[in-house]
Amino acid sequence: MSKQYEPIRIGEKFAKIPDLWKPRVVAEMNDYQFKLVRLEGDFVWHSHADTDEAFLIVEGELRIDFRDGAVTLGPGEMYVVPRGVEHKPFAASEVRVMLIEPRGVVNTGDGDTLERTAANDVWV
Amino acid sequence: MSKQYEPIRIGEKFAKIPDLWKPRVVAEMNDYQFKLVRLEGDFVWHSHADTDEAFLIVEGELRIDFRDGAVTLGPGEMYVVPRGVEHKPFAASEVRVMLIEPRGVVNTGDGDTLERTAANDVWV
C-alpha cells in the first residue's frame, strides 16, 4: 500500500483564520495542542499558573511585555513564557504566531477580560 | 526596569549544530522539549510506544515513511506521528527539522540501532 498522508500546511491554515486574537488548533500531540493565532494590537496582562506557554513566530513581529522588561520576536524566533509569569503580548502590526501549550489553556489565563477571551478547541 | 530578554533564534541555533542526526535542545516547556536536528539520508524504522512526536520543517524536505504510505513535508509544514506508529524519516538532501516531544524520548525509539541513537538533553 502507499497512502499519501497530508502535511499540516501552516501558511494555508493561517489563510483560513478570519479573526484576530482567536487561536485555532491545527494539531495535537499527546495532551498538547499546536494553535495558530493572528495578533494585532494590545493583549491583556495575564499569567498561566499551571503551565509554560511557547510562542513561535511565523510572520511579523511580536513583543511580549513582562513586568520587568520585554522580549521582541521576529519570524523564526521563539520564546517560552514560564508558568506564573505575567505577560502581555503586543503587535504594532499583524503577527502570525504558533502557540504550543496543553489542551484547555485559556488564552487570557487569569486576566479578567471578556473581550479577548477566546473559545478553546476550535480547529482550522 | 526594562530588561531585554533574548529570543531563541532558530536559524542561529542550527548554524551551531555541526552533526547530522544529533537532536539539540533549544527550549523546554513543562516536561516537553523543542529540539533541532539536521537530517540527511535514511533513518531507521522505529516507533515510540509512549508518546506522539511532532515534526516541524524549517528548511528542506523530509519524507516520513510509514508501513502503509508516507507523508512529505516542506518548509512551514508539520506532522504529528502518533504513538506506536512505525516510521522512518528520509531526506534526499539536508533538511532542518524542529522536533517537539517529551523530555527523555530516545530518537531511535524501539529501533535497535547504535549508529543513529543520539544522546539526550544536549543543548545548543
Side-chain angles (χ1 to χ4, degrees):
Chain A
M1 286 182 291
S2 187
K3 185 167 170 174
Q4 274 305 117
Y5 290 89
E6 285 299 305
I8 297 157
R9 298 182 178 93
I10 294 167
E12 288 184 14
K13 295 289 188 184
F14 269 117
K16 293 178 183 167
I17 300 177
D19 300 316
L20 296 169
W21 300 106
K22 307 282 191 196
R24 291 292 177 261
V25 182
V26 294
E28 288 187 332
M29 168 191 56
N30 304 325
D31 52 346
Y32 280 68
Q33 291 181 328
F34 294 81
K35 304 175 183 176
L36 304 182
V37 64
R38 300 170 48 207
L39 306 178
E40 185 175 346
D42 234 337
F43 204 57
V44 292
W45 281 105
H46 69 286
S47 64
H48 306 281
D50 299 325
T51 183
D52 304 338
E53 185 175 35
F55 293 76
L56 175 62
I57 309 305
V58 177
E59 205 178 306
E61 189 176 282
L62 179 70
R63 195 184 74 212
I64 305 176
D65 290 334
F66 304 108
R67 292 298 187 185
D68 68 349
V71 62
T72 301
L73 305 170
E77 298 183 346
M78 66 176 291
Y79 198 80
V80 180
V81 177
R83 67 183 65 196
V85 171
E86 280 190 294
H87 59 285
K88 183 178 72 60
F90 167 77
S93 55
E94 184 180 331
V95 58
R96 298 185 166 198
V97 181
M98 174 177 276
L99 302 171
I100 305 104
E101 58 192 8
R103 191 186 296 129
V105 170
V106 176
N107 64 332
T108 47
D110 64 352
D112 54 347
T113 175
L114 287 177
E115 192 194 343
R116 290 289 196 214
T117 301
N120 254 326
D121 292 315
V122 185
W123 287 66
V124 68
Chain B
M1 286 181 292
S2 188
K3 184 167 169 173
Q4 274 305 117
Y5 290 89
E6 285 298 305
I8 297 156
R9 298 183 177 93
I10 294 167
E12 288 184 14
K13 295 289 188 185
F14 269 118
K16 293 178 184 167
I17 300 177
D19 299 315
L20 296 169
W21 301 106
K22 307 283 189 193
R24 291 292 177 261
V25 182
V26 294
E28 288 187 330
M29 169 190 55
N30 303 325
D31 51 346
Y32 280 67
Q33 291 181 328
F34 294 81
K35 304 175 185 176
L36 304 183
V37 63
R38 299 170 49 207
L39 307 178
E40 184 175 346
D42 235 338
F43 204 55
V44 291
W45 281 106
H46 69 286
S47 64
H48 307 281
D50 299 325
T51 182
D52 304 338
E53 184 175 35
F55 292 77
L56 174 61
I57 309 305
V58 177
E59 205 179 307
E61 188 176 281
L62 179 71
R63 196 183 74 212
I64 305 175
D65 290 335
F66 304 109
R67 291 298 186 185
D68 68 348
V71 63
T72 301
L73 305 169
E77 298 183 346
M78 64 176 292
Y79 198 80
V80 180
V81 176
R83 67 183 67 197
V85 171
E86 279 190 294
H87 58 286
K88 184 178 71 64
F90 168 77
S93 55
E94 185 180 330
V95 57
R96 297 183 168 201
V97 181
M98 175 179 276
L99 302 171
I100 305 104
E101 58 192 8
R103 191 185 299 129
V105 169
V106 176
N107 65 331
T108 47
D110 63 353
D112 54 347
T113 174
L114 287 177
E115 192 194 345
R116 289 290 195 214
T117 301
N120 254 326
D121 292 314
V122 185
W123 287 66
V124 67

